Amino acid sequence: MDPFDAGPGGLLKQPKSVWATAGASVVAFMGIGLVDPILPSIAQGLHATASQVSLLFTSYFLITAVAMLVTGFVSSRIGGRKTLLLGLAFVVVFAGLSGTSGSVGELVGFRAGWGLGNALFVSTALAVIVGAAAGGSAAAILLYESALGLGMACGPLLGALLGDASWRYPFFGTAFLMAVGFLCIAVFLKEQPRPARKTSLLDPVKALGHGGLASAAVSAFFYNYTFFTVLAFTPFVLNMSPYRSGAVFFAWGVLLAVFSVVVAPRLQKRFGSLKVLGGSLVLLAADVLVLGYGDHTTAVVCTILSGAFIGVNNTVYTELALGVSDAPRPVASAGYNFVRWFAAAAAPYFAPKIEEWTDLHIPFVVAAVTAVVGALVVVVRRKALTHEAEEPEPKHATEDGVAVFAN
């Protein structure tokens, strides 16, 4: 069945509960790139350095990484609907508080609470969408991936539009939109059956004992360092107004969405997942290196272009993590994300520090090296990672009521 079909079970004929969850997912993913265009404005408004402001990403993703061990534990006990609402409530509260911050320390702390809420919501959203969807999971998963791409694209745009008046407004705007999402889910989404087996806190860590899953997680760790060097450090290098920076990262997000949802599956079908992933990582390394050493126009072009490679990588890594081991998909994805999100926390902190210790170019050299290391892990561990190719049919997305914090 074509998931774009407008007939029953197609993308356009989903229940209101699915659309409500997908809509809230868009806003949740917007929160990741929301602060990109306003990082220089936050630094100026709170009299902070680039490395201090970059901690907004570090605290957010550090909590997200640790929360990967908690989300399955929580949702398997209170159910998907309540987990979504709990996560949204956290985001509404802490996004609103972020807008009231009087110091960079307060803002970093509030972003940590926001990260916990986002982890609870996003890690559960795919399972809920698939469980509530009509006509199977194909259209539901496509809808979720589209929500992810749209959110990553629109986050910087919203940050620019509201942040041009004040760096505080994007936080208030996000809190308002997530409050609307809370109400929609509360009204339209019914509680789904809880999984027969409750997930323990250590299940995701135990799942990493599988060589293929551990290899995917380690490779993704190095890749994520590159990804979040681009996302968190490049705005300071571009040094543009919120509108211009927002436009750059909107274009970046559009490429990310298109290559994640449309291009990556076609490349995988033609060349195979591991060849696509290895090639894309090497191309990303080259792109980041040129970004670091090029002039301003080159840096803008390479920043936008990186969205294409990141979109491909995100899709392939997610499929590898979910298909390479025999662990339930939610447990495998939690273990995988537990490892890789630590790099997302590290890069925003170390990139500006490396610049302070050396010069502007070296953070991008390091990011290029980490992308190559990620590709080398794929090459060296290709036998352990080929289990995914042998079992093309993915396991059911709602085995334990929680799904991947995709991409």
Side-chain angles (χ1 to χ4, degrees), residues 2-15 19 134 139-140 142-143:
D2 182 359
F4 289 100
D5 188 1
L11 184 65
L12 302 179
K13 292 292 184 180
Q14 294 298 325
W19 286 108
L142 179 61
L143 185 61

Side-chain angles (χ1 to χ4, degrees), residues 14-360:
Q14 294 298 325
K16 292 180 180 179
S17 58
V18 172
W19 286 108
T21 307
S25 297
V26 172
V27 183
F29 285 116
M30 285 170 60
I32 296 177
L34 177 81
V35 299
D36 264 25
I38 57 173
L39 285 174
S41 299
I42 293 173
Q44 183 179 1
L46 295 178
H47 307 290
T49 64
S51 59
Q52 289 174 322
V53 173
S54 293
L55 289 174
L56 295 177
F57 286 98
T58 298
S59 64
Y60 183 91
F61 286 112
L62 185 62
I63 295 300
T64 295
V66 176
M68 286 299 115
L69 302 180
V70 178
T71 53
F73 178 88
V74 172
S75 67
S76 65
R77 284 161 175 78
I78 68 174
R81 180 177 181 273
K82 291 180 180 177
T83 304
L84 290 180
L85 293 175
L86 179 64
L88 287 171
F90 269 100
V91 174
V92 170
V93 171
F94 284 103
L97 288 173
S98 295
T100 68
S101 300
S103 68
V104 70
E106 286 185 9
L107 184 53
V108 168
F110 292 143
R111 278 281 286 182
W114 186 344
L116 174 59
N118 220 44
L120 287 169
F121 175 83
V122 177
S123 64
T124 312
L126 176 56
V128 170
I129 289 175
V130 172
S137 62
I141 293 175
L142 179 61
L143 185 61
Y144 179 83
E145 291 287 345
S146 300
L148 185 153
L150 185 61
M152 292 293 285
C154 292
L157 195 61
L158 178 67
L161 293 174
L162 297 179
D164 189 60
S166 169
W167 65 263
R168 300 180 186 274
Y169 291 169
F171 297 112
F172 294 139
T174 301
F176 172 77
L177 290 175
M178 287 306 254
V180 173
F182 183 98
L183 291 175
C184 289
I185 289 176
V187 172
F188 295 117
L189 181 64
K190 296 179 180 179
E191 186 58 84
Q192 297 178 311
R194 298 182 190 180
R197 177 182 174 274
K198 294 180 179 178
T199 303
S200 77
L201 292 175
L202 293 180
D203 280 351
V205 177
K206 293 177 182 177
L208 290 169
H210 186 280
L213 182 62
S215 300
V218 170
S219 178
F221 174 89
F222 288 106
Y223 155 65
N224 261 33
Y225 186 95
T226 308
F227 176 1
F228 284 93
T229 296
V230 173
L231 192 63
F233 182 63
T234 303
F236 292 106
V237 176
L238 298 180
N239 194 26
M240 304 166 78
S241 69
Y243 275 128
R244 291 179 179 273
S245 183
V248 168
F249 279 96
F250 173 72
W252 168 87
V254 169
L255 277 186
L256 187 154
V258 171
F259 274 75
S260 177
V261 177
V262 179
V263 178
R266 288 166 170 76
L267 290 176
Q268 287 175 275
K269 186 176 181 179
R270 181 171 181 179
F271 300 106
S273 295
L274 298 187
K275 289 182 180 179
V276 169
L277 181 59
S280 182
L281 285 169
V282 171
L283 290 173
L284 177 62
D287 179 80
V288 169
L289 203 58
V290 174
L291 193 164
Y293 280 92
D295 58 21
H296 189 266
T297 300
T298 302
V300 169
V301 172
C302 287
T303 299
I304 295 172
L305 184 60
S306 70
F309 307 125
I310 289 170
V312 171
N313 294 338
N314 285 349
T315 294
V316 180
Y317 270 121
T318 297
E319 293 184 8
L320 282 177
L322 296 183
V324 75
S325 78
D326 295 326
R329 289 185 66 170
V331 174
S333 71
Y336 159 77
N337 283 294
F338 173 69
V339 173
R340 75 179 184 119
W341 285 118
F342 278 110
Y349 174 77
F350 283 111
K353 284 293 184 183
I354 292 172
E355 183 202 7
E356 292 175 9
W357 300 331
T358 55
D359 60 45
L360 184 65

Side-chain angles (χ1 to χ4, degrees), residues 366-384:
V366 173
V369 169
T370 56
V372 172
V373 172
L376 288 175
V377 172
V378 171
V379 172
V380 173
R381 297 289 296 168
R382 61 187 179 279
K383 289 185 178 180

